[in-house]
Amino acid sequence: MKHFDTLYLAIGATWLVVGMLIGIGMGITHKFELAPLHAHINLVGFACHAIFGAAYRLWPAMAKAALAKVQFVVFVVSTPILAAGLYFTLSGGIELPTILGSLGVLTGAVLFAIIAWRSHATA
């Protein structure tokens, strides 16, 4: 994965569109049951992916960290699991995908924090 900083940004932009479409759909139908999903997609899907991509671009030493690719895979794979799980949970279905996706996203965030603190310590 040579340019996962820009891939992070592209994935984030895709989540932004998905989140906006859900928001527009809720506004049109006046049904707001999916508001938590809309918020998670915009914050975890768009904002986190975009911030991670920007950080890796602005601080290349972070992108070279051994954990960076692991962090990328964990976060990118966990986000749709969280989103799908939250949809099922909000629709009265099973909660397991929401739990697994949440734990995966948290793991990705913790890995990012470790990478950031290690980069800070060596700067």
Side-chain angles (χ1 to χ4, degrees), residues 40-122:
H40 279 77
I41 285 176
N42 284 318
L43 291 174
V44 174
F46 168 61
C48 288
H49 283 78
I51 290 168
F52 293 161
Y56 284 130
R57 172 56 66 103
L58 291 170
W59 295 281
M62 287 178 60
K64 293 176 184 170
L67 287 177
K69 290 179 183 172
V70 173
Q71 186 272 335
F72 174 86
V73 170
V74 168
F75 202 84
V76 168
V77 169
S78 298
T79 301
I81 295 170
L82 170 61
L86 194 50
Y87 175 81
F88 293 135
T89 300
L90 293 170
S91 301
I94 60 173
E95 296 177 357
L96 183 61
T98 306
I99 294 166
L100 295 175
S102 296
L103 292 173
V105 165
L106 175 61
T107 301
V110 168
L111 290 173
F112 184 79
I114 291 168
I115 293 164
W117 279 106
R118 284 183 179 172
S119 294
H120 170 70
T122 60

